[in-house]
Amino acid sequence: MEGGTILMKLRLPFVALLLGWAGALGSAEGPIRFEDITDRAKLREPLAGLMGHGGALGDFDGDGWIDIYAGGFADRPLAEYAPAKGPIPNQLLRNLGNGQFARVNDSPTGHFARTSGAVFADLDNDGDLELYVGNNARPGGKGTEIQQQSRGAFCKLYRNDRGRFVDISQASGACPPTLKSGRNIGVLDYDQDGLLDLLVIEDRFTRAPSTRLFRNLGGLRFEDVTVRAGLPEDLFGLGCAIADLNNDGRPEIFVGHSNRFFVSHKDGRYREPDSLRQTFAWAPLHGEDWPCGAAFGDLNQDGRLDMVLSIHCTTARNRVYLNEGVQDGVPQFRDVSAACGMPAELPVKSPHVEIQDFDNDGKPDIYFSSALTNQQGACTPLIFRQDGAAKGVPRFTPNVAPESLNTYFAAGPSGDIDNDGRIDLFLINWFGGNHSRLLSNKSAPAHWLQVVAQGRRSNRMGIGARVILRDAQDGSLRGVQEIGVGYGYASGQPAVAHFGLGKFAQVDVTVEFPGGKSVTRRQTPADRRIVVEEP
């Protein structure tokens, strides 16, 4: 649909104009740079003592600012929670829009658990975000009341009632007590009925692990359709990535650790091609060499979604796979890790991964949740900045020497938290002596565009919508993204496609919705967020 319904708005402060960037913006220059604003944002105190392992970013109260949910393990010995005297509950933190956050004290989401992941998602198409929390239950054992409560906490689902959460876990059908070891939460509309379904990844560290696909029946009721949908009953994993890679309108699923890739078919069932099982086969170096998170993104800007795999191991052999097209309905991938500049291994774990353009130069970068913390306590997250592509293979340069890395964060979702057009990071801390950190992106300004897809027949959140950017003058491809949340590991992201544009002040934008309809907007100005509605 040419020039269909599209709402364009400046997402609160139009920072480029406020800071006088208009007319001065160009291609990004200088390093990708972050500033730790944890203290200034009033986040140090409410997160002190959190043994954080999972979290999500999302605007749960609908005020235009990204809020934070952070969860951790509350069943460990009391000394491990210093400077707190003991475990603290999961934290819901409202973005006040003035650079600071405030704890939401009266929310049931502040429970004690062994939280291993979380995601905000609009599961009833009413325009606000529900919250699903993946908990790693281990009922039984001795300990304090809080420790026992934490071990007995199964996954949780909270309904959003105009910014207030209500626990509907038991009635929803999406949090059964047989699902004990929840990790990452994938969000998808696997049957294309306009309702978002949930894929809850269960790890192998429990008897008879079984990742579950919960079909949304409407009214925030779910049913387990794992076997009916063609997924194996014994599927285990840590993280996941979901996107439509064979262009049939239905999403494919990759599950990290087991490294299994499931392709959609017209009969509504998933199948695992032998060729992809061979492509992603993993020969572990030892018993804790675990593939973990995954992310899809168009690294070389050829219109196909590539994949990056992160490794939860102190010899992290992270991998980059280029998408080389579809054969007989099956996407084809090639390992280009060495050719693109990925080190053979890193000396710390790299659980979480995302593909984002952190310097807005128009070339997607790769971020792993590994980091360097110096003697003064300053933390630099690991970003592989893209230098461009040669013969279709992108090249990357790390922002820190890989051998100097000395810490990692299990979860670390990204998002434009301060609405300035640059992607920030929220790093959720697991270790004593460190703390969770909000890192504000202070890279040199360049043009950018953020796209939100709003479904009508398809899901309102726009999950699965493909956003295509082209040069407004010659029509050449500038970038492709599929809107998704819950990818990587233990992290939930906002449902926004962020594009760096470098020197380009306008582009043509096309949004292809899961139901087959599309909207194109010619000569869309840069440096703003737009909301594109499905016809």
Side-chain angles (χ1 to χ4, degrees):
M1 177 178 178
E2 180 74 22
T5 303
I6 181 168
L7 301 179
M8 183 173 296
K9 57 184 178 182
L10 308 183
R11 194 65 165 175
L12 297 175
F14 186 8
V15 179
L17 289 178
L18 291 177
L19 299 183
W21 294 351
L25 289 168
S27 57
E29 297 180 359
I32 295 173
R33 189 171 65 88
F34 293 90
E35 178 185 352
D36 190 332
I37 62 168
T38 311
D39 292 327
R40 191 191 318 159
K42 304 296 185 182
L43 287 172
R44 178 76 76 101
E45 186 276 329
L47 294 174
L50 182 75
M51 283 194 69
H53 196 283
L57 302 181
D59 181 10
F60 82 89
D61 56 2
D63 65 353
W65 296 92
I66 292 176
D67 308 301
I68 292 173
Y69 184 76
F73 280 40
D75 66 330
R76 300 304 174 95
L78 299 185
E80 295 190 23
Y81 298 98
K85 295 180 179 180
I88 67 171
N90 293 354
Q91 298 290 307
L92 180 64
L93 301 152
R94 177 179 279 113
N95 190 335
L96 302 179
N98 61 359
Q100 298 182 354
F101 288 78
R103 178 194 285 118
V104 180
N105 291 312
D106 58 349
S107 175
T109 60
H111 63 277
F112 290 99
R114 289 164 45 95
T115 294
S116 296
V119 69
F120 288 105
D122 185 358
L123 300 175
D124 54 4
N125 286 332
D126 67 349
D128 55 26
L129 301 175
E130 278 66 54
L131 174 64
Y132 192 99
V133 181
N135 288 330
N136 207 262
R138 296 291 187 271
K142 299 180 180 180
T144 66
E145 180 179 350
I146 287 178
Q147 289 171 328
Q148 294 186 57
Q149 177 185 337
S150 301
R151 297 188 196 111
F154 296 97
C155 295
K156 296 282 189 179
L157 177 59
Y158 298 96
R159 183 182 71 232
N160 190 333
D161 287 350
R162 297 182 179 180
R164 296 183 64 86
F165 285 110
V166 178
D167 188 343
I168 60 168
S169 307
Q170 186 172 358
S172 71
C175 306
T178 53
L179 178 63
K180 292 183 178 180
S181 206
R183 290 280 181 175
N184 214 70
I185 304 103
V187 180
L188 70 164
D189 184 1
Y190 98 96
D191 55 359
Q192 297 300 294
D193 65 352
L195 296 170
L196 289 175
D197 312 303
L198 295 168
L199 179 74
V200 183
I201 308 297
E202 188 168 45
D203 65 39
R204 75 176 188 187
F205 312 115
T206 186
R207 182 177 299 176
S210 178
T211 291
R212 309 293 180 85
L213 177 60
F214 294 106
R215 179 173 180 260
N216 192 335
L217 303 175
L220 294 174
R221 298 279 298 177
F222 295 82
E223 64 172 336
D224 187 337
V225 295
T226 308
V227 175
R228 188 196 314 170
L231 297 177
E233 291 185 86
D234 61 349
L235 177 61
F236 67 86
L238 292 172
C240 68
I242 298 171
D244 179 12
L245 299 177
N246 63 1
N247 303 313
D248 69 349
R250 297 175 182 271
E252 273 63 60
I253 297 171
F254 176 84
V255 178
H257 195 185
S258 60
N259 277 21
R260 302 182 70 173
F261 202 117
F262 300 95
V263 175
S264 60
H265 286 259
K266 292 181 180 180
D267 60 5
R269 291 174 59 82
Y270 285 99
R271 294 175 178 82
E272 184 181 16
D274 290 338
S275 61
L276 292 182
R277 190 148 196 178
Q278 294 172 12
T279 297
F280 298 107
W282 190 257
L285 299 175
H286 45 72
E288 293 190 358
D289 186 6
W290 306 331
C292 187
F296 290 125
D298 183 8
L299 292 171
N300 57 357
Q301 296 171 299
D302 64 356
R304 298 190 290 259
L305 298 179
D306 312 301
M307 195 183 88
V308 182
L309 177 65
S310 59
I311 310 301
H312 198 303
C313 180
T314 52
T315 48
R317 298 176 292 155
N318 301 318
R319 290 289 182 265
V320 178
Y321 299 90
L322 283 190
N323 184 338
E324 299 198 311
V326 178
Q327 293 182 11
D328 299 323
V330 178
Q332 309 294 308
F333 288 91
R334 175 167 59 102
D335 188 338
V336 296
S337 305
C340 75
M342 198 61 52
E345 63 182 49
L346 299 178
V348 297
K349 298 180 179 181
S350 299
H352 181 56
V353 60
E354 295 194 20
I355 298 170
Q356 295 281 10
D357 188 351
F358 288 97
D359 55 3
N360 285 339
D361 68 349
K363 300 185 294 291
D365 312 302
I366 299 174
Y367 144 67
F368 295 103
S369 58
S370 310
L372 168 64
T373 303
N374 65 20
Q375 293 182 345
Q376 291 73 42
C379 180
T380 303
L382 177 60
I383 309 288
F384 284 87
R385 182 178 185 176
Q386 187 176 159
D387 301 319
K391 297 182 179 180
V393 178
R395 294 286 303 179
F396 296 92
T397 301
N399 62 334
V400 296
E403 63 273 13
S404 70
L405 298 167
N406 57 10
T407 191
Y408 73 91
F409 299 83
S414 75
D416 185 3
I417 291 176
D418 51 9
N419 288 326
D420 70 349
R422 291 174 289 191
I423 295 294
D424 311 303
L425 293 174
F426 177 58
L427 305 180
I428 302 174
N429 176 58
W430 171 259
F431 296 102
N434 199 357
H435 62 275
S436 296
R437 298 168 184 265
L438 180 60
L439 302 183
S440 177
N441 190 336
K442 300 300 182 183
S443 304
H447 289 305
W448 54 274
L449 185 72
Q450 295 173 357
V451 181
V452 174
Q454 191 172 101
R456 294 190 180 198
R457 183 180 181 277
S458 57
N459 69 88
R460 180 165 177 168
M461 199 177 179
I463 300 298
R466 181 159 296 196
V467 184
I468 304 166
L469 262 58
R470 296 189 180 276
D471 188 293
Q473 303 302 318
D474 62 19
S476 60
L477 191 65
R478 301 299 313 165
V480 172
Q481 292 186 40
E482 185 169 311
I483 293 178
V485 299
Y487 51 86
Y489 178 58
S491 303
Q493 305 82 4
V496 179
H498 174 94
F499 293 90
L501 301 181
K503 65 181 181 180
F504 293 91
Q506 59 181 15
V507 288
D508 293 343
V509 180
T510 297
V511 178
E512 298 175 349
F513 288 87
K517 294 184 177 181
S518 66
V519 173
T520 296
R521 182 76 177 205
R522 305 290 184 189
Q523 298 181 336
T524 300
D527 307 324
R528 63 196 63 205
R529 176 176 296 185
I530 64 173
V531 179
V532 182
E533 291 186 345
E534 184 178 22

